[in-house]
Amino acid sequence: MNDPQRLLDHRRDLWMALAPLWLDREPGERDYARMADVIERYDFTTDELERIYRVEMSPVLVRHQVSLAGEWRAFDEDRLLRQLTFHVWKLTRWRRGFWLLFSGLTTMMTRHRYNMLMDVVLTRRRMAAEQDAASGD
């Protein structure tokens, strides 16, 4: 997106829902359910969600995680949204490739949480598809 405000308007809720993956505490069942609720409002494929996690979010949020002065219990929402918007807005094709290449390092500490979230999301999607198929009979 060429307009940072449109980018922020489009991603704000998703970014803020996924940001707790990088906090110092392990998300609980309610946290994962809330994250999945937000994801359901978007029409992203699992590949698109993976890209958002690896390329858009983890390069910014891993800095908070590894910093001695980082935020551990909660994020300053305005500051975090400014950082994410600026990062994504300046992503060129080369930078996307760079962050994709190094995403194994930037997602290392949160990958298990993201995988748990995707299990919740995919289970919900499968159940919704089964319900749709059953109601179509």
Side-chain angles (χ1 to χ4, degrees):
M1 290 188 189
N2 293 333
D3 179 16
Q5 186 60 50
R6 279 189 59 215
L7 172 64
L8 177 59
D9 292 344
H10 185 65
R11 290 281 204 271
R12 166 185 263 126
D13 292 341
L14 182 63
W15 285 341
M16 292 313 299
L18 298 180
L21 294 173
W22 282 269
L23 291 177
D24 191 33
R25 63 174 183 77
E26 194 68 32
E29 192 173 315
R30 284 185 181 165
D31 298 313
Y32 286 117
R34 187 182 55 75
M35 289 180 217
D37 288 344
V38 172
I39 288 171
E40 285 178 359
R41 294 192 305 228
Y42 290 84
D43 192 28
F44 290 120
T45 66
T46 54
D47 288 343
E48 290 169 323
L49 289 167
E50 178 76 20
R51 183 185 49 76
I52 290 167
Y53 166 68
R54 289 171 61 183
V55 176
E56 292 184 12
M57 297 188 71
S58 68
V60 173
L61 285 153
V62 75
R63 293 177 191 144
H64 291 273
Q65 214 173 21
V66 298
S67 169
L68 291 177
E71 300 172 61
W72 296 96
R73 298 283 178 228
F75 293 107
D76 175 341
E77 184 174 325
D78 291 335
R79 181 174 173 236
L80 181 59
L81 289 171
R82 277 193 309 274
Q83 291 172 331
L84 286 165
T85 301
F86 183 73
H87 168 75
V88 174
W89 188 54
K90 70 178 184 173
L91 279 176
T92 62
R93 185 179 188 155
W94 182 88
R95 286 181 187 205
R96 286 182 193 281
F98 174 83
W99 286 117
L100 194 59
L101 179 65
F102 286 97
S103 65
L105 294 173
T106 62
T107 61
M108 182 176 11
M109 296 189 303
T110 59
R111 175 52 72 179
H112 67 287
R113 294 174 180 178
Y114 180 79
N115 289 345
M116 177 73 81
L117 174 60
M118 287 299 100
D119 285 346
V120 172
V121 169
L122 292 174
T123 299
R124 286 182 175 196
R125 287 180 178 179
R126 186 179 65 249
M127 290 173 61
E130 289 171 0
Q131 287 177 348
D132 288 345
S135 66
D137 289 339

